């Protein structure tokens, strides 16, 4: 007998496969950096590209994840764009040690620093600091992008913060290795010297506070860049660099040899057993997220498609049912899962509750579960598909604000690592309560089905339209129904573009947009990274109203 086809699941599957195809197309495009002609010019100089350098450095046949692949997407168009923010960042294994690698992409404006470049570099250092991961800098940059210097130079989270972090990381005992494989100029010249060890490639690497043209203009000295700050100068005369490499491959091989000698870090001690795959076809995950974002689904089906052997020990199953909490394993690691339930549920009293909405009892349940995970030293995984907290007199009188605050307090003060997967909607205060970017998840990624905003596009557009129409009427202007329809369409399209996961990824509100099938890998590598950083403070949530 032929298996009955589920039409809705088939539509879901078709929809997400189209989105994943678009994801791969977008990734292939940004992976070209400044384009094929710029890559050819890089090769003509005997240099590898940023991505080729990272691939050479990483251990073969091991997993890696990329941070901020879509950083800068759709930004700085007046300057020709800035694919991947002009810098490539990956977490992976170098000579068996989990590390983070930061490589300037010289095919993008000669590796110049845009505002998003600084933000992405600081995110890489943040990951290194939080997880005590060794960090490797592959330097090939022309320095600050001068037309935007006012947005990158002097503020706390600008360019200079990177060197402050170099110093702090060194004091924390975090290994930092810098390889100068191209230009390293002005303030950026401090990077290799503030790292533990510095390498430089002969004839292509150079370090100086000011290049030959600026030196001539400033003090009248005639000198070429190689004599001023090349590999021979800094390895034999100034002593600025520690190793002189003949080419990119030689330099990267030296880094692998250095990394091979690094000692083992003290571990946090998170629980791990032998990994098991979820039961059933992994690609069934594609059929579970609705193509229509208003449709309902059972988040427990998603959980069963993500966790080892599809085994999930649910906490308070029959209470606060619009949030699902429970214990599981992902790639062998013990985790506590907090997930928004997206199907309509009914309480024992027969009260119907909207899926994706956080009610008082579900917020209270989640807070208690988060506290339990901190007590047991279990990393937390948040699966977001949330429209916000329940509103109305019944909820307000029931104390939704204090119960929501309790959940936010418990989550914000967590000392165990947190990982956030934005599967669908991520609206308003729901984003906050479910560990959005502002609440320091170790990693946060979005599926192509994600929407991140204060509210849905439809709701926001109608509100914005009302404001616009009222403003026009106050000026005495008459607006027809046809004009209102056109305006609503324009506002909706503009707002929806801002809710796209790629809009969030371009601004590093999320670390990447990923294929849902890669979720287990991101969580597993994230916990492995976090396991390098012992928990140093007790869990304390402070004052909570009960």
């Amino acid at each position: 007998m032929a298996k009955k086809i589920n039409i809705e699941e088939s539509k879901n599957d078709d929809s997400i496969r189209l989105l994943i195809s678009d994801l791969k197309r977008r990734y292939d495009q940004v992976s070209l950096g400044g384009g094929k002609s710029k890559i050819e010019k890089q090769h003509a100089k005997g240099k590898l590209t940023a991505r080729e350098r990272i691939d050479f450095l990483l251990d073969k046949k091991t997993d890696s994840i990329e941070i901020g692949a879509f950083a800068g997407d759709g930004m700085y168009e007046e300057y020709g764009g800035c694919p991947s923010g002009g810098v490539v960042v990956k977490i992976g294994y170098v000579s068996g040690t989990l590390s983070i690698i930061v490589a300037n992409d010289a095919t993008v404006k000669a590796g110049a620093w845009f505002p998003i470049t600084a933000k992405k570099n600081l995110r890489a250092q943040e990951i290194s600091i939080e997880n005590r991961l060794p960090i490797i800098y592959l330097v090939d940059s022309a320095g600050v992008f001068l037309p935007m210097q006012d947005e990158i130079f002097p503020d706390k989270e600008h360019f200079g913060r990177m060197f402050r972090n170099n110093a702090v990381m060194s004091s924390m005992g975090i290994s930092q290795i810098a390889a100068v494989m191209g230009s390293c100029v002005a303030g950026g010249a401090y990077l290799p010297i503030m790292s533990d060890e510095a390498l430089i490639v002969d004839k292509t690497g150079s370090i100086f506070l000011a290049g030959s043209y600026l030196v001539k203009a400033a003090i009248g000295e005639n000198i070429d860049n190689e004599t001023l700050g090349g590999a021979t100068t800094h390895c034999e005369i100034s002593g600025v660099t520690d190793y002189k490499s003949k080419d990119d491959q030689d330099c990267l091989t030296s880094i692998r040899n250095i990394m091979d000698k690094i000692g083992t870090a003290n571990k946090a001690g998170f629980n791990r057993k032998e990994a098991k795959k979820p039961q059933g076809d992994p690609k069934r995950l594609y059929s579970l997220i609705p193509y229509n974002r208003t449709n309902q689904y059972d988040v427990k089906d998603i959980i069963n498609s993500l966790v080892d052997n599809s085994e999930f020990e649910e906490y308070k199953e029959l209470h606060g049912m619009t949030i699902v909490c429970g214990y599981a394993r992902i790639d062998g690691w013990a985790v506590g899962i907090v997930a928004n339930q997206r199907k309509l549920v009914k309480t024992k009293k027969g009260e119907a509750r909207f899926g994706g909405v956080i009610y008082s009892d579900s917020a209270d349940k989640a807070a208690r579960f988060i506290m339990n995970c901190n007590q047991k030293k279990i990393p937390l995984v948040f699966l977001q598909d949330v429209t916000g907290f329940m509103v109305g007199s019944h909820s307000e009188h029931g104390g939704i604000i204090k119960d929501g605050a309790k959940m936010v307090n418990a989550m914000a003060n967590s000392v165990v690592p947190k990982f956030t997967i934005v599967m669908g909607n991520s609206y308003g205060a729901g984003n906050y309560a479910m560990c959005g970017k502002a609440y320091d998840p170790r990693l946060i990624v979005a599926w192509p089905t994600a929407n991140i905003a204060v509210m849905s596009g439809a709701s926001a557009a109608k509100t914005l339209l009302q404001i616009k129409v009222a403003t026009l009427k106050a000026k005495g202007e008459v607006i027809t129904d046809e004009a209102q329809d056109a305006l609503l369409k324009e506002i909706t399209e503009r707002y929806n573009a801002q809710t796209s996961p790629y809009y969030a990824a371009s601004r590093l509100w999320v670390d990447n947009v990923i294929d849902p099938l890669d979720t287990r890998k991101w969580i597993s590598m994230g916990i492995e990274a976090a396991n390098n950083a012992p928990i140093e403070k007790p869990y304390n949530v402070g004052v909570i109203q009960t």
Side-chain angles (χ1 to χ4, degrees):
M1 183 176 177
K3 183 179 179 180
K4 185 178 179 180
I5 298 174
N6 185 311
I7 301 299
E8 287 299 305
E9 288 194 358
S10 179
K11 287 181 178 179
N12 294 342
D13 188 276
D14 290 343
S15 175
I16 200 166
R17 285 178 187 272
L18 287 173
L19 292 174
I20 291 167
S21 177
D22 180 54
L23 166 63
K24 291 177 179 177
R25 178 190 62 77
R26 288 171 179 262
Y27 182 75
D28 288 344
Q29 184 63 41
V30 298
S31 295
L32 292 174
K36 292 180 180 179
S37 63
K38 295 289 180 66
I39 292 173
E40 290 170 0
K41 288 180 180 179
Q42 186 94 336
H43 290 163
K45 296 176 183 177
K47 298 164 68 175
L48 300 174
T49 66
R51 292 182 182 279
E52 289 168 343
R53 287 166 175 166
I54 291 176
D55 288 344
F56 188 98
L57 201 54
L58 290 172
D59 295 348
K60 305 304 179 223
K61 297 181 180 179
T62 59
D63 285 335
S64 64
I65 54 178
E66 182 169 351
I67 303 296
F70 298 105
D73 183 49
M75 300 168 68
Y76 317 119
E77 296 297 338
E78 66 273 32
Y79 299 114
C82 186
S84 290
V87 61
V88 182
V89 176
K90 285 194 177 183
I91 300 174
Y93 302 89
V94 180
S95 296
T97 298
L98 191 61
S99 312
I100 186 160
I101 307 167
V102 181
N104 298 116
D105 188 348
T107 71
V108 179
K109 291 290 188 294
W113 285 57
F114 285 72
I116 196 66
T117 317
K119 187 173 184 179
K120 186 170 174 179
N121 274 269
L122 292 175
R123 175 61 178 146
Q125 289 185 321
E126 180 182 43
I127 292 171
S128 174
I129 291 169
E130 286 181 331
N131 300 290
R132 305 296 194 273
L133 288 185
I135 188 166
I136 300 166
Y137 309 100
L138 306 181
V139 185
D140 194 347
S141 171
V144 167
F145 185 63
L146 289 178
M148 303 190 75
Q149 65 87 26
D150 61 320
E151 297 182 45
I152 188 174
F153 170 62
D155 210 345
K156 181 177 179 180
E157 297 301 328
H158 284 178
F159 187 63
R161 186 74 172 184
M162 184 171 179
F163 312 123
R164 173 267 185 195
N165 287 350
N166 287 142
V168 170
M169 292 161 73
S170 181
S171 73
M172 295 172 66
I174 298 171
S175 295
Q176 300 177 83
I177 299 172
V180 181
M181 310 182 79
S183 297
C184 182
V185 301
Y190 288 102
L191 174 67
I193 312 313
M194 299 193 76
S195 299
D196 303 330
E197 296 180 272
L199 304 87
I200 186 168
V201 179
D202 194 22
K203 299 298 185 286
T204 57
S206 58
I207 312 172
F208 34 66
L209 295 179
S212 56
Y213 291 121
L214 188 54
V215 168
K216 173 66 175 176
I219 63 174
E221 181 182 2
N222 287 306
I223 190 169
D224 63 87
N225 282 337
E226 183 64 25
T227 305
L228 181 66
T232 298
T233 295
H234 287 309
C235 287
E236 299 181 24
I237 300 172
S238 73
V240 165
T241 50
D242 307 308
Y243 305 90
K244 183 178 181 180
S245 305
K246 63 180 181 180
D247 55 28
D248 280 13
Q249 291 88 342
D250 182 43
C251 180
L252 297 167
T253 299
S254 293
I255 293 173
R256 288 185 54 79
N257 290 339
I258 294 168
M259 292 294 297
D260 183 55
K261 314 301 186 298
I262 287 182
T264 302
N266 294 328
K267 300 298 182 183
F270 301 126
N271 186 297
R272 192 179 198 185
K273 292 186 176 179
E274 182 183 355
K276 297 178 180 179
K277 293 181 179 180
Q279 294 180 8
D281 182 0
K283 290 187 177 180
R284 182 170 182 266
L285 193 57
Y286 290 164
S287 68
L288 299 176
I289 289 285
Y291 67 95
N292 183 337
R293 298 303 301 118
T294 62
N295 286 0
Q296 300 176 25
Y297 66 93
D298 191 340
V299 76
K300 295 178 190 178
D301 292 335
I302 299 280
I303 293 171
N304 287 335
S305 295
L306 291 175
V307 302
D308 288 15
N309 206 34
S310 300
E311 294 176 349
F312 179 61
E313 188 69 29
E314 189 170 356
Y315 173 80
K316 290 184 180 290
E317 180 181 1
L318 302 177
H319 179 74
M321 292 181 287
T322 63
I323 288 184
V324 173
C325 301
Y327 302 108
R329 291 188 183 274
I330 292 179
D331 199 33
W333 293 104
V335 296
I337 295 174
V338 181
N340 301 113
Q341 177 59 282
R342 276 306 307 269
K343 72 174 185 178
L344 188 71
V345 298
K346 287 189 177 182
T347 67
K348 193 172 182 181
K349 297 178 181 179
E351 179 188 357
R353 296 204 167 169
F354 299 105
V357 179
I358 302 175
Y359 289 76
S360 281
D361 54 359
S362 50
D364 180 73
K365 177 176 85 170
R368 289 175 60 87
F369 180 72
I370 289 166
M371 292 183 212
N372 282 343
C373 287
N374 277 272
Q375 181 82 356
K376 297 176 175 66
K377 203 158 73 171
I378 300 173
L380 285 158
V381 175
F382 292 84
L383 302 179
Q384 281 195 13
D385 194 347
V386 58
T387 53
F389 285 85
M390 191 58 192
V391 297
S393 61
H394 182 73
S395 293
E396 297 293 359
H397 296 172
I400 184 67
I401 294 175
K402 66 179 176 65
D403 288 321
K406 187 187 303 181
M407 179 179 175
V408 171
N409 198 326
M411 177 274 301
N413 283 296
S414 286
V415 295
V416 295
K418 299 169 290 193
F419 303 90
T420 303
I421 314 298
V422 187
M423 306 184 302
N425 299 328
S426 180
Y427 295 153
N431 170 282
Y432 299 162
M434 292 295 293
C435 197
K437 181 66 183 288
Y439 291 85
D440 299 323
R442 294 293 176 97
L443 295 172
I444 176 171
V445 293
W447 289 0
T449 47
N451 291 291
I452 303 171
V454 171
M455 62 180 73
S456 71
S459 299
K462 289 176 182 177
T463 302
L464 292 168
L465 177 66
Q466 290 173 355
I467 295 170
K468 182 69 174 178
V469 170
T471 302
L472 291 173
K473 286 182 177 179
K475 293 179 179 179
E477 298 182 28
V478 178
I479 182 166
T480 65
D481 290 343
E482 292 78 8
Q484 283 196 43
D485 291 341
L487 192 55
L488 178 61
K489 181 180 178 184
E490 177 191 338
I491 293 171
T492 301
E493 289 176 352
R494 183 173 68 247
Y495 191 89
N496 283 341
Q498 294 178 0
T499 70
S500 160
Y502 297 102
Y503 190 90
S506 72
R507 289 151 180 80
L508 289 174
W509 300 344
V510 296
D511 289 317
N512 216 338
V513 182
I514 67 166
D515 184 329
L517 295 182
D518 288 333
T519 304
R520 281 170 54 85
K521 178 176 74 172
W522 273 80
I523 294 171
S524 177
M525 291 190 70
I527 298 175
E528 183 176 353
N531 201 37
N532 287 300
I535 296 172
E536 297 173 346
K537 64 177 184 178
Y539 182 55
N540 187 342
V541 296
V543 177
I544 289 181
Q545 289 192 14
T546 57

